[in-house]
Amino acid sequence: MLSEKCSANQNNVKDQEIQHADLERYFATQTQTEFASMAGHEMKTSIQAILTYSELLQNKHDKSSDDYIKAILRNAQRLKILSDNLTDLTKIDSHIMKIQKNRFDMGTLVATLVKDFENMTRYNESKIKIITQLPEHVFVNADAQKLTQVILNLLDNAVKVTVDGKR
């Protein structure tokens, strides 16, 4: 009788483990599907903009060529960021992501990234102003490249949901 109860409990635990694993696979698949859908949409949007502005540049009589070139560069930069994110996601999934820790000034990094972000995006043409409040000379030991990616993604997301400098 006791061995039957132990066997039943072991089967119950195994069933729960199987259900848990099934749920993990389901949610992982859902998340991957949602991410792939979002990434595909982002890629299509940027690619279409690049194609459209490239076609407009072929018209030599159009005086807006500088604006078209800036739009192409903006969208190419968005594709590069998306590509970097997809590459990192693959590395994380494969457990091959490498972190390069170095000591650097976080304030200087953020200030540089904000300036670069404003220069490389359409947001510097809008009424949005990015304001940072960081103490001077905050040194950290971290992967500057990965932090750069995170900060640029945060800036991009923040600006996407900001309307006329508010929110």
Side-chain angles (χ1 to χ4, degrees):
M1 183 79 153
L2 182 59
S3 66
E4 289 175 8
K5 284 185 180 180
C6 286
S7 179
N9 283 341
Q10 287 175 342
N11 287 339
N12 191 19
V13 168
K14 286 181 184 176
D15 288 345
Q16 287 177 348
E17 288 173 355
I18 291 169
Q19 287 175 344
H20 181 72
D22 287 345
L23 279 173
E24 281 184 342
R25 278 193 296 278
Y26 170 78
F27 285 116
T29 302
Q30 285 298 105
T31 301
Q32 289 172 352
T33 301
E34 289 171 12
F35 182 80
S37 176
M38 180 277 309
H41 175 73
E42 288 287 324
M43 288 172 55
K44 281 184 197 175
T45 301
S46 293
I47 290 168
Q48 186 57 51
I50 289 169
L51 291 172
T52 300
Y53 287 117
S54 297
E55 288 172 8
L56 290 171
L57 274 174
Q58 290 178 339
N59 180 357
K60 305 237 188 261
H61 303 294
D62 195 329
K63 294 181 175 141
S64 301
S65 62
D66 287 343
D67 293 333
Y68 300 155
I69 291 169
K70 287 177 187 175
I72 290 169
L73 291 172
R74 266 195 319 271
N75 283 284
Q77 184 64 33
R78 286 180 68 200
L79 285 172
K80 182 188 180 312
I81 290 170
L82 181 59
S83 173
D84 290 344
N85 291 341
L86 289 170
T87 300
D88 282 351
L89 182 64
T90 303
K91 287 178 182 178
I92 290 168
D93 257 3
S94 302
H95 304 287
I96 59 172
M97 171 73 79
K98 299 223 184 320
I99 303 295
Q100 302 291 326
K101 283 188 174 182
N102 295 309
R103 182 173 162 81
F104 61 92
D105 185 344
M106 185 70 164
T108 301
L109 176 70
V110 170
T112 302
L113 291 175
V114 167
K115 185 176 181 180
D116 289 348
F117 183 80
E118 289 175 337
N119 289 335
M120 73 181 180
T121 65
R122 65 183 153 92
Y123 306 118
N124 62 346
E125 298 163 9
S126 69
K127 295 178 180 163
I128 297 170
K129 178 138 177 78
I130 300 171
I131 300 169
T132 59
Q133 295 178 334
L134 290 171
E136 289 185 36
H137 308 298
V138 176
F139 288 90
V140 296
N141 286 317
D143 188 323
Q145 185 178 13
K146 299 295 182 244
L147 271 176
T148 295
Q149 244 180 296
V150 169
I151 292 167
L152 288 174
N153 284 335
L154 288 171
L155 286 168
D156 190 47
N157 289 338
V159 171
K160 282 179 185 175
V161 298
T162 302
V163 180
D164 293 331
K166 298 177 182 167
R167 223 185 242 189

